[in-house]
Amino acid sequence: MANVTVIGAQWGDEGKGKIVDWLASRADAVVRFQGGHNAGHTLVVGDKVYKLSLLPSGIVTGTLSLIGNGVVLDPWALKAEIEKLEGQGVSITQENFGIADNCPLILPLHRDLDGLREQAAGSGKIGTTGRGIGPAYEDKVGRRAIRVCDLAHLDDLGPQIDRLCAHHDALRAGFGQKPIDREQLIEDLRGIAPFVLQYAQPVWKRLKKVRKAGARVLFEGAQGVLLDVDHGTYPFVTSSNTVSGTAASGSGLGPNATGFVLGIVKAYTTRVGSGPFPTELEDETGQRLGERGHEFGTVTGRKRRCGWFDAVLVRQSCAISGVTGIALTKLDVLDGFETVTICTGYRLGGKILDYLPSHAGDQAKVEPIYEEMEGWKGTTAGARSWADLPAQAIKYIQRVQELIETPVALVSTSPEREDTILVRDPFMD
Ligand code: GDP
Ligand code: IMO
Ligand code: MG
């Protein structure tokens, strides 16, 4: 019965991949339920580094890994990623991998549009990953998407292609681009169809069977709550709902299946792309956090913006996503700092706020109220038990959980799978 839903509680890159990989050996199935190959999840196992964008992180332990209907799937990116992982010795078969046949596809025209819009947006640029995520979700909601199941019926695609092209050709003309080459698109889809179809299935049905057998399901979120299209720092967000509630709709199980909601929280804050970031440090300290934490994007290689821990944001994310407990990651990055700083509230126009307001202008204007704590002399890097942590680091963790009003279930102290402290087993809840 005990399932676990892993979500990012900040702006992504909190270390979800590492934690999902660690938990995967205790799960019977891992399911991705939203996002696409804009995600970049890094797993370190011994001397091997795996970078996953579309495949669930359970694939590395060989756990049944499923891509749910809530994901937008670029079939060519999928093939490339499977081939890359197979090259690293990971086995991906019809036994351990499946794709929901009702997943919408990301097509080359989506990537084109993502790029064209970003180029044209001037100061309104979102700083997307350029993977076509937004346009693909728009077509899903606009009822123009081509889905995985359509790959088995390419000869009947006429009316759908008409609908898709009517929309995109008009947009493309506005950008001075040629209309979509329909023949080429169908040809490309015909080329990739057999590869995708070998894994396609009604994932909801597979999950129903798995659950009936009493198996434990691990739902793997991508991005983070502050990138959620409703609850995040709109419009500087991604185009899916990243909150825990999506685990149900994006996989085909009811909301009672999501179980323990594990929010992944970095011990400081980072963000890639544009948008407000109250605790951002554009100084040597920010530089130092970025260097110590190797804060470069997995997908685009972009430098991540860095800042102190923002308890206001994480408290908000935990509330919105119904977080049961958090995994606090990258604590080791704070080793060696004389003092560590936490944002406990905001000032806006003479008022004190205990939440991030909804308006982008207000979000950009809030000034953090900080609390400073003594740092720790010893190291937390590689710690695997509470007893290995310096007393001052424990105080930091305790202050974090107090401020975010949510308990700590796990602490991560290095990129390596086993460098993880278990405080409370999320599967045992
Ligand atoms: P995700 O998108 O949430 O899966 O996170 P990313 O993989 O994009 O970024 C997290 C980075 O931090 C990766 O390079 C991980 O290997 C690394 N990482 C994860 N946990 C820890 C940790 O506890 N300490 C350190 N130093 N690095 C970590
Ligand atoms: P993981 O799963 C961090 C950000 C982009 C951009 C915004 C919109 O690795 O945590 P999109 O391409 O989704 O339309 O871009 O969202 N973004 C991420 N930032 N981690 C991610 O995934 C992200 N996926 C998207 O940088 O600001
Ligand atoms: Mg990432």
Side-chain angles (χ1 to χ4, degrees):
M1 261 309 279
N3 297 335
V4 176
T5 298
V6 165
I7 52 129
Q10 292 150 318
W11 277 292
D13 304 325
E14 299 91 348
K16 296 176 291 294
K18 160 172 171 165
I19 300 295
V20 170
D21 169 61
W22 188 79
L23 288 169
S25 57
R26 296 155 188 253
D28 301 289
V30 180
V31 195
R32 273 280 307 266
F33 56 87
Q34 48 70 232
H37 65 312
N38 49 348
H41 298 175
T42 315
L43 283 54
V44 180
V45 188
D47 57 2
K48 284 205 164 148
V49 179
Y50 304 94
K51 290 182 189 287
L52 309 179
S53 286
L54 204 41
L55 292 169
S57 297
I59 201 75
V60 173
T61 45
T63 311
L64 171 63
S65 293
L66 301 167
I67 293 184
N69 58 278
V71 169
V72 280
L73 184 107
D74 180 325
W76 298 278
L78 174 80
K79 184 162 187 277
E81 190 170 321
I82 289 183
E83 286 168 357
K84 188 181 78 179
L85 277 150
E86 283 177 339
Q88 289 189 283
V90 177
S91 158
I92 299 160
T93 65
Q94 288 165 2
E95 291 304 304
N96 69 9
F97 179 58
I99 303 169
D101 57 6
N102 49 353
C103 257
L105 297 179
I106 300 184
L107 302 172
L109 57 94
H110 293 128
R111 207 175 39 235
D112 293 349
L113 186 58
D114 197 349
L116 289 165
R117 277 188 187 152
E118 283 283 272
Q119 271 168 28
S123 62
K125 191 172 158 170
I126 288 168
T128 71
T129 60
R131 299 293 191 265
I133 304 293
Y137 274 118
E138 288 167 33
D139 280 355
K140 166 182 166 166
V141 180
R143 295 163 295 184
R144 297 179 289 272
I146 295 177
R147 307 195 300 173
V148 167
C149 52
D150 294 320
L151 294 173
H153 302 274
L154 287 175
D155 292 334
D156 308 329
L157 215 54
Q160 252 159 294
I161 296 264
D162 283 346
R163 213 164 28 239
L164 188 72
C165 290
H167 181 78
H168 280 274
D169 286 345
L171 285 173
R172 291 169 74 94
F175 284 110
Q177 300 293 309
K178 282 194 247 154
I180 291 159
D181 183 339
R182 300 164 64 125
E183 298 308 314
Q184 186 63 49
L185 176 60
I186 302 231
E187 231 13 71
D188 291 347
L189 290 172
R190 218 179 281 288
I192 198 74
F195 182 82
V196 178
L197 287 172
Q198 64 179 315
Y199 304 112
Q201 58 193 274
V203 156
W204 67 269
K205 209 160 184 296
R206 182 84 174 255
L207 284 170
K208 182 179 173 209
K209 192 171 155 200
V210 161
R211 277 199 93 202
K212 219 168 174 185
R216 293 160 156 184
V217 181
L218 176 55
F219 298 90
E220 177 179 9
Q223 291 83 50
V225 174
L226 294 163
L227 289 171
D228 182 278
V229 67
D230 289 299
H231 295 286
T233 46
Y234 193 91
F236 303 101
V237 292
T238 191
S239 294
S240 66
N241 283 109
T242 60
V243 293
S244 60
T246 315
S249 59
S251 66
L253 285 169
N256 59 344
T258 47
F260 187 109
V261 179
L262 183 66
I264 315 299
V265 176
K266 205 180 278 198
Y268 49 100
T269 315
T270 64
R271 151 158 230 183
V272 228
S274 328
F277 181 171
T279 63
E280 181 170 17
L281 295 166
E282 289 173 287
D283 60 5
E284 269 170 35
T285 310
Q287 189 84 9
R288 188 169 161 200
L289 284 170
E291 280 164 18
R292 287 192 51 80
H294 303 289
E295 297 294 355
F296 293 90
T298 314
V299 174
T300 56
R302 286 178 294 176
K303 200 167 161 201
R304 296 173 183 154
R305 300 156 64 192
C306 296
W308 290 121
F309 186 77
D310 188 335
V312 181
L313 293 184
V314 176
R315 184 169 58 229
Q316 188 159 330
S317 294
C318 286
I320 288 167
S321 240
V323 170
T324 322
I326 68 156
L328 188 68
T329 64
K330 303 192 89 161
L331 182 64
D332 55 295
V333 173
L334 299 181
D335 287 359
F337 278 85
E338 286 281 299
T339 54
V340 284
T341 303
I342 301 181
C343 167
T344 58
Y346 300 133
R347 269 196 197 90
L348 179 68
K351 285 202 186 118
I352 293 194
L353 298 184
D354 62 357
Y355 71 101
L356 186 71
S358 298
H359 189 259
D362 289 341
Q363 292 177 352
K365 276 193 248 128
V366 296
E367 286 171 34
I369 299 168
Y370 284 122
E371 170 178 302
E372 200 174 81
M373 291 176 76
E374 203 185 308
W376 45 92
K377 301 247 157 25
T379 170
T380 67
R384 293 183 183 187
S385 82
W386 202 251
D388 294 339
L389 296 176
Q392 202 55 36
I394 294 177
K395 274 198 191 155
Y396 183 75
I397 299 173
Q398 280 167 342
R399 187 63 184 137
V400 164
Q401 57 180 8
E402 199 173 88
L403 287 168
I404 66 170
E405 298 165 18
T406 312
V408 171
L410 299 169
V411 180
S412 168
T413 58
S414 101
E416 168 62 38
R417 180 191 277 167
E418 296 305 329
D419 291 339
T420 306
I421 302 171
L422 178 63
V423 181
R424 172 177 170 200
D425 186 347
F427 277 117
M428 287 302 169
D429 209 53

PDB file of all heavy atoms in Angstrom, residues 248-278:
ATOM      1  N   ALA A 248      -1.341  11.587  -9.618  1.00  0.00           N
ATOM      2  CA  ALA A 248      -2.526  10.765  -9.867  1.00  0.00           C
ATOM      3  C   ALA A 248      -3.006  10.926 -11.309  1.00  0.00           C
ATOM      4  O   ALA A 248      -3.108   9.951 -12.058  1.00  0.00           O
ATOM      5  CB  ALA A 248      -3.629  11.141  -8.882  1.00  0.00           C
ATOM      6  N   SER A 249      -3.248  12.182 -11.712  1.00  0.00           N
ATOM      7  CA  SER A 249      -3.808  12.388 -13.058  1.00  0.00           C
ATOM      8  C   SER A 249      -2.791  12.070 -14.148  1.00  0.00           C
ATOM      9  O   SER A 249      -3.154  11.663 -15.245  1.00  0.00           O
ATOM     10  CB  SER A 249      -4.290  13.833 -13.204  1.00  0.00           C
ATOM     11  OG  SER A 249      -3.220  14.726 -13.003  1.00  0.00           O
ATOM     12  N   GLY A 250      -1.522  12.232 -13.855  1.00  0.00           N
ATOM     13  CA  GLY A 250      -0.484  12.019 -14.868  1.00  0.00           C
ATOM     14  C   GLY A 250      -0.019  10.583 -14.997  1.00  0.00           C
ATOM     15  O   GLY A 250       0.876  10.283 -15.793  1.00  0.00           O
ATOM     16  N   SER A 251      -0.628   9.697 -14.200  1.00  0.00           N
ATOM     17  CA  SER A 251      -0.231   8.291 -14.294  1.00  0.00           C
ATOM     18  C   SER A 251      -1.438   7.389 -14.520  1.00  0.00           C
ATOM     19  O   SER A 251      -1.317   6.308 -15.078  1.00  0.00           O
ATOM     20  CB  SER A 251       0.499   7.860 -13.020  1.00  0.00           C
ATOM     21  OG  SER A 251      -0.393   7.880 -11.929  1.00  0.00           O
ATOM     22  N   GLY A 252      -2.597   7.851 -14.059  1.00  0.00           N
ATOM     23  CA  GLY A 252      -3.797   7.040 -14.244  1.00  0.00           C
ATOM     24  C   GLY A 252      -4.201   6.273 -13.003  1.00  0.00           C
ATOM     25  O   GLY A 252      -4.796   5.198 -13.085  1.00  0.00           O
ATOM     26  N   LEU A 253      -3.832   6.816 -11.847  1.00  0.00           N
ATOM     27  CA  LEU A 253      -4.299   6.252 -10.578  1.00  0.00           C
ATOM     28  C   LEU A 253      -5.043   7.368  -9.840  1.00  0.00           C
ATOM     29  O   LEU A 253      -4.856   8.542 -10.143  1.00  0.00           O
ATOM     30  CB  LEU A 253      -3.116   5.771  -9.740  1.00  0.00           C
ATOM     31  CG  LEU A 253      -2.446   4.461 -10.174  1.00  0.00           C
ATOM     32  CD1 LEU A 253      -1.144   4.250  -9.426  1.00  0.00           C
ATOM     33  CD2 LEU A 253      -3.374   3.271  -9.935  1.00  0.00           C
ATOM     34  N   GLY A 254      -5.829   6.989  -8.872  1.00  0.00           N
ATOM     35  CA  GLY A 254      -6.569   8.001  -8.118  1.00  0.00           C
ATOM     36  C   GLY A 254      -5.687   8.699  -7.096  1.00  0.00           C
ATOM     37  O   GLY A 254      -4.576   8.236  -6.806  1.00  0.00           O
ATOM     38  N   PRO A 255      -6.175   9.814  -6.527  1.00  0.00           N
ATOM     39  CA  PRO A 255      -5.367  10.584  -5.580  1.00  0.00           C
ATOM     40  C   PRO A 255      -5.005   9.825  -4.298  1.00  0.00           C
ATOM     41  O   PRO A 255      -4.052  10.180  -3.621  1.00  0.00           O
ATOM     42  CB  PRO A 255      -6.229  11.807  -5.263  1.00  0.00           C
ATOM     43  CG  PRO A 255      -7.585  11.481  -5.746  1.00  0.00           C
ATOM     44  CD  PRO A 255      -7.467  10.440  -6.799  1.00  0.00           C
ATOM     45  N   ASN A 256      -5.742   8.766  -4.004  1.00  0.00           N
ATOM     46  CA  ASN A 256      -5.409   7.988  -2.795  1.00  0.00           C
ATOM     47  C   ASN A 256      -4.164   7.113  -3.000  1.00  0.00           C
ATOM     48  O   ASN A 256      -3.705   6.468  -2.073  1.00  0.00           O
ATOM     49  CB  ASN A 256      -6.596   7.111  -2.370  1.00  0.00           C
ATOM     50  CG  ASN A 256      -7.009   6.142  -3.461  1.00  0.00           C
ATOM     51  OD1 ASN A 256      -6.617   6.306  -4.621  1.00  0.00           O
ATOM     52  ND2 ASN A 256      -7.783   5.142  -3.107  1.00  0.00           N
ATOM     53  N   ALA A 257      -3.614   7.115  -4.237  1.00  0.00           N
ATOM     54  CA  ALA A 257      -2.458   6.252  -4.510  1.00  0.00           C
ATOM     55  C   ALA A 257      -1.128   6.951  -4.263  1.00  0.00           C
ATOM     56  O   ALA A 257      -0.085   6.303  -4.230  1.00  0.00           O
ATOM     57  CB  ALA A 257      -2.509   5.777  -5.958  1.00  0.00           C
ATOM     58  N   THR A 258      -1.175   8.273  -4.090  1.00  0.00           N
ATOM     59  CA  THR A 258       0.099   9.009  -4.088  1.00  0.00           C
ATOM     60  C   THR A 258       0.923   8.799  -2.817  1.00  0.00           C
ATOM     61  O   THR A 258       2.118   8.994  -2.820  1.00  0.00           O
ATOM     62  CB  THR A 258      -0.123  10.514  -4.358  1.00  0.00           C
ATOM     63  OG1 THR A 258      -1.193  10.948  -3.525  1.00  0.00           O
ATOM     64  CG2 THR A 258      -0.484  10.768  -5.799  1.00  0.00           C
ATOM     65  N   GLY A 259       0.290   8.402  -1.742  1.00  0.00           N
ATOM     66  CA  GLY A 259       1.025   8.003  -0.540  1.00  0.00           C
ATOM     67  C   GLY A 259       1.804   9.120   0.134  1.00  0.00           C
ATOM     68  O   GLY A 259       1.345  10.264   0.222  1.00  0.00           O
ATOM     69  N   PHE A 260       2.999   8.764   0.589  1.00  0.00           N
ATOM     70  CA  PHE A 260       3.881   9.705   1.288  1.00  0.00           C
ATOM     71  C   PHE A 260       4.416  10.711   0.269  1.00  0.00           C
ATOM     72  O   PHE A 260       5.025  10.314  -0.722  1.00  0.00           O
ATOM     73  CB  PHE A 260       5.031   8.905   1.903  1.00  0.00           C
ATOM     74  CG  PHE A 260       5.948   9.693   2.813  1.00  0.00           C
ATOM     75  CD1 PHE A 260       5.933   9.486   4.190  1.00  0.00           C
ATOM     76  CD2 PHE A 260       6.863  10.607   2.300  1.00  0.00           C
ATOM     77  CE1 PHE A 260       6.796  10.188   5.044  1.00  0.00           C
ATOM     78  CE2 PHE A 260       7.726  11.314   3.130  1.00  0.00           C
ATOM     79  CZ  PHE A 260       7.686  11.094   4.501  1.00  0.00           C
ATOM     80  N   VAL A 261       4.195  11.979   0.501  1.00  0.00           N
ATOM     81  CA  VAL A 261       4.724  12.983  -0.434  1.00  0.00           C
ATOM     82  C   VAL A 261       6.076  13.468   0.088  1.00  0.00           C
ATOM     83  O   VAL A 261       6.161  14.084   1.155  1.00  0.00           O
ATOM     84  CB  VAL A 261       3.747  14.162  -0.619  1.00  0.00           C
ATOM     85  CG1 VAL A 261       4.326  15.200  -1.582  1.00  0.00           C
ATOM     86  CG2 VAL A 261       2.401  13.660  -1.137  1.00  0.00           C
ATOM     87  N   LEU A 262       7.109  13.115  -0.654  1.00  0.00           N
ATOM     88  CA  LEU A 262       8.473  13.460  -0.261  1.00  0.00           C
ATOM     89  C   LEU A 262       8.928  14.670  -1.086  1.00  0.00           C
ATOM     90  O   LEU A 262       9.117  14.570  -2.304  1.00  0.00           O
ATOM     91  CB  LEU A 262       9.395  12.255  -0.512  1.00  0.00           C
ATOM     92  CG  LEU A 262      10.853  12.405  -0.085  1.00  0.00           C
ATOM     93  CD1 LEU A 262      10.983  12.530   1.438  1.00  0.00           C
ATOM     94  CD2 LEU A 262      11.688  11.207  -0.569  1.00  0.00           C
ATOM     95  N   GLY A 263       9.067  15.800  -0.419  1.00  0.00           N
ATOM     96  CA  GLY A 263       9.521  17.022  -1.105  1.00  0.00           C
ATOM     97  C   GLY A 263      11.041  17.054  -1.092  1.00  0.00           C
ATOM     98  O   GLY A 263      11.648  16.892  -0.041  1.00  0.00           O
ATOM     99  N   ILE A 264      11.630  17.212  -2.262  1.00  0.00           N
ATOM    100  CA  ILE A 264      13.090  17.285  -2.306  1.00  0.00           C
ATOM    101  C   ILE A 264      13.493  18.752  -2.198  1.00  0.00           C
ATOM    102  O   ILE A 264      13.004  19.601  -2.948  1.00  0.00           O
ATOM    103  CB  ILE A 264      13.665  16.637  -3.598  1.00  0.00           C
ATOM    104  CG1 ILE A 264      12.985  15.287  -3.881  1.00  0.00           C
ATOM    105  CG2 ILE A 264      15.180  16.485  -3.492  1.00  0.00           C
ATOM    106  CD1 ILE A 264      13.141  14.222  -2.811  1.00  0.00           C
ATOM    107  N   VAL A 265      14.363  19.034  -1.231  1.00  0.00           N
ATOM    108  CA  VAL A 265      14.700  20.409  -0.878  1.00  0.00           C
ATOM    109  C   VAL A 265      16.212  20.547  -0.797  1.00  0.00           C
ATOM    110  O   VAL A 265      16.869  19.843  -0.027  1.00  0.00           O
ATOM    111  CB  VAL A 265      14.062  20.764   0.486  1.00  0.00           C
ATOM    112  CG1 VAL A 265      14.480  22.157   0.936  1.00  0.00           C
ATOM    113  CG2 VAL A 265      12.548  20.654   0.450  1.00  0.00           C
ATOM    114  N   LYS A 266      16.758  21.452  -1.572  1.00  0.00           N
ATOM    115  CA  LYS A 266      18.200  21.709  -1.513  1.00  0.00           C
ATOM    116  C   LYS A 266      18.477  22.589  -0.293  1.00  0.00           C
ATOM    117  O   LYS A 266      17.647  23.453   0.031  1.00  0.00           O
ATOM    118  CB  LYS A 266      18.585  22.439  -2.802  1.00  0.00           C
ATOM    119  CG  LYS A 266      20.014  22.292  -3.233  1.00  0.00           C
ATOM    120  CD  LYS A 266      20.287  23.048  -4.524  1.00  0.00           C
ATOM    121  CE  LYS A 266      19.878  22.293  -5.758  1.00  0.00           C
ATOM    122  NZ  LYS A 266      20.512  22.815  -6.988  1.00  0.00           N
ATOM    123  N   ALA A 267      19.622  22.416   0.327  1.00  0.00           N
ATOM    124  CA  ALA A 267      19.941  23.155   1.551  1.00  0.00           C
ATOM    125  C   ALA A 267      20.191  24.642   1.302  1.00  0.00           C
ATOM    126  O   ALA A 267      20.387  25.419   2.234  1.00  0.00           O
ATOM    127  CB  ALA A 267      21.149  22.515   2.237  1.00  0.00           C
ATOM    128  N   TYR A 268      20.206  25.023   0.020  1.00  0.00           N
ATOM    129  CA  TYR A 268      20.251  26.449  -0.366  1.00  0.00           C
ATOM    130  C   TYR A 268      19.293  26.566  -1.547  1.00  0.00           C
ATOM    131  O   TYR A 268      18.436  25.677  -1.687  1.00  0.00           O
ATOM    132  CB  TYR A 268      21.694  26.874  -0.692  1.00  0.00           C
ATOM    133  CG  TYR A 268      22.412  25.942  -1.638  1.00  0.00           C
ATOM    134  CD1 TYR A 268      22.536  26.258  -2.992  1.00  0.00           C
ATOM    135  CD2 TYR A 268      22.936  24.721  -1.205  1.00  0.00           C
ATOM    136  CE1 TYR A 268      23.169  25.395  -3.871  1.00  0.00           C
ATOM    137  CE2 TYR A 268      23.559  23.846  -2.092  1.00  0.00           C
ATOM    138  CZ  TYR A 268      23.678  24.184  -3.419  1.00  0.00           C
ATOM    139  OH  TYR A 268      24.280  23.320  -4.297  1.00  0.00           O
ATOM    140  N   THR A 269      19.372  27.590  -2.361  1.00  0.00           N
ATOM    141  CA  THR A 269      18.401  27.733  -3.452  1.00  0.00           C
ATOM    142  C   THR A 269      19.120  27.936  -4.781  1.00  0.00           C
ATOM    143  O   THR A 269      20.132  28.638  -4.829  1.00  0.00           O
ATOM    144  CB  THR A 269      17.477  28.958  -3.186  1.00  0.00           C
ATOM    145  OG1 THR A 269      17.064  28.939  -1.818  1.00  0.00           O
ATOM    146  CG2 THR A 269      16.258  28.937  -4.069  1.00  0.00           C
ATOM    147  N   THR A 270      18.572  27.328  -5.847  1.00  0.00           N
ATOM    148  CA  THR A 270      19.089  27.616  -7.192  1.00  0.00           C
ATOM    149  C   THR A 270      17.922  27.761  -8.158  1.00  0.00           C
ATOM    150  O   THR A 270      16.808  27.315  -7.869  1.00  0.00           O
ATOM    151  CB  THR A 270      20.003  26.487  -7.733  1.00  0.00           C
ATOM    152  OG1 THR A 270      19.243  25.284  -7.881  1.00  0.00           O
ATOM    153  CG2 THR A 270      21.203  26.241  -6.865  1.00  0.00           C
ATOM    154  N   ARG A 271      18.222  28.371  -9.270  1.00  0.00           N
ATOM    155  CA  ARG A 271      17.213  28.509 -10.328  1.00  0.00           C
ATOM    156  C   ARG A 271      17.937  28.650 -11.661  1.00  0.00           C
ATOM    157  O   ARG A 271      18.971  29.325 -11.724  1.00  0.00           O
ATOM    158  CB  ARG A 271      16.349  29.717  -9.965  1.00  0.00           C
ATOM    159  CG  ARG A 271      15.716  30.480 -11.089  1.00  0.00           C
ATOM    160  CD  ARG A 271      14.503  31.286 -10.695  1.00  0.00           C
ATOM    161  NE  ARG A 271      13.482  30.910 -11.675  1.00  0.00           N
ATOM    162  CZ  ARG A 271      12.262  31.404 -11.751  1.00  0.00           C
ATOM    163  NH1 ARG A 271      11.854  32.291 -10.893  1.00  0.00           N
ATOM    164  NH2 ARG A 271      11.422  30.991 -12.681  1.00  0.00           N
ATOM    165  N   VAL A 272      17.413  28.028 -12.713  1.00  0.00           N
ATOM    166  CA  VAL A 272      17.932  28.253 -14.079  1.00  0.00           C
ATOM    167  C   VAL A 272      16.845  28.972 -14.869  1.00  0.00           C
ATOM    168  O   VAL A 272      15.674  28.685 -14.663  1.00  0.00           O
ATOM    169  CB  VAL A 272      18.203  26.956 -14.892  1.00  0.00           C
ATOM    170  CG1 VAL A 272      19.551  26.979 -15.545  1.00  0.00           C
ATOM    171  CG2 VAL A 272      17.976  25.705 -14.106  1.00  0.00           C
ATOM    172  N   GLY A 273      17.242  29.851 -15.767  1.00  0.00           N
ATOM    173  CA  GLY A 273      16.248  30.574 -16.554  1.00  0.00           C
ATOM    174  C   GLY A 273      15.863  31.870 -15.860  1.00  0.00           C
ATOM    175  O   GLY A 273      16.351  32.187 -14.774  1.00  0.00           O
ATOM    176  N   SER A 274      14.942  32.617 -16.499  1.00  0.00           N
ATOM    177  CA  SER A 274      14.577  33.945 -15.983  1.00  0.00           C
ATOM    178  C   SER A 274      13.563  33.835 -14.844  1.00  0.00           C
ATOM    179  O   SER A 274      13.024  32.762 -14.588  1.00  0.00           O
ATOM    180  CB  SER A 274      13.943  34.783 -17.087  1.00  0.00           C
ATOM    181  OG  SER A 274      14.471  34.482 -18.345  1.00  0.00           O
ATOM    182  N   GLY A 275      13.291  34.992 -14.223  1.00  0.00           N
ATOM    183  CA  GLY A 275      12.239  35.063 -13.216  1.00  0.00           C
ATOM    184  C   GLY A 275      12.750  35.442 -11.847  1.00  0.00           C
ATOM    185  O   GLY A 275      13.949  35.389 -11.577  1.00  0.00           O
ATOM    186  N   PRO A 276      11.816  35.858 -10.982  1.00  0.00           N
ATOM    187  CA  PRO A 276      12.176  36.338  -9.657  1.00  0.00           C
ATOM    188  C   PRO A 276      12.864  35.273  -8.795  1.00  0.00           C
ATOM    189  O   PRO A 276      12.575  34.085  -8.915  1.00  0.00           O
ATOM    190  CB  PRO A 276      10.845  36.740  -9.032  1.00  0.00           C
ATOM    191  CG  PRO A 276       9.777  36.289  -9.933  1.00  0.00           C
ATOM    192  CD  PRO A 276      10.366  35.948 -11.244  1.00  0.00           C
ATOM    193  N   PHE A 277      13.765  35.737  -7.948  1.00  0.00           N
ATOM    194  CA  PHE A 277      14.537  34.845  -7.078  1.00  0.00           C
ATOM    195  C   PHE A 277      14.974  35.703  -5.892  1.00  0.00           C
ATOM    196  O   PHE A 277      16.044  36.298  -5.901  1.00  0.00           O
ATOM    197  CB  PHE A 277      15.725  34.311  -7.879  1.00  0.00           C
ATOM    198  CG  PHE A 277      16.646  33.343  -7.161  1.00  0.00           C
ATOM    199  CD1 PHE A 277      17.632  32.684  -7.884  1.00  0.00           C
ATOM    200  CD2 PHE A 277      16.547  33.089  -5.800  1.00  0.00           C
ATOM    201  CE1 PHE A 277      18.496  31.796  -7.265  1.00  0.00           C
ATOM    202  CE2 PHE A 277      17.398  32.201  -5.170  1.00  0.00           C
ATOM    203  CZ  PHE A 277      18.387  31.554  -5.906  1.00  0.00           C
ATOM    204  N   PRO A 278      14.111  35.801  -4.856  1.00  0.00           N
ATOM    205  CA  PRO A 278      14.364  36.750  -3.761  1.00  0.00           C
ATOM    206  C   PRO A 278      15.728  36.608  -3.088  1.00  0.00           C
ATOM    207  O   PRO A 278      16.341  37.621  -2.760  1.00  0.00           O
ATOM    208  CB  PRO A 278      13.225  36.459  -2.777  1.00  0.00           C
ATOM    209  CG  PRO A 278      12.135  35.869  -3.608  1.00  0.00           C
ATOM    210  CD  PRO A 278      12.810  35.116  -4.715  1.00  0.00           C
TER     211      PRO A 278
END
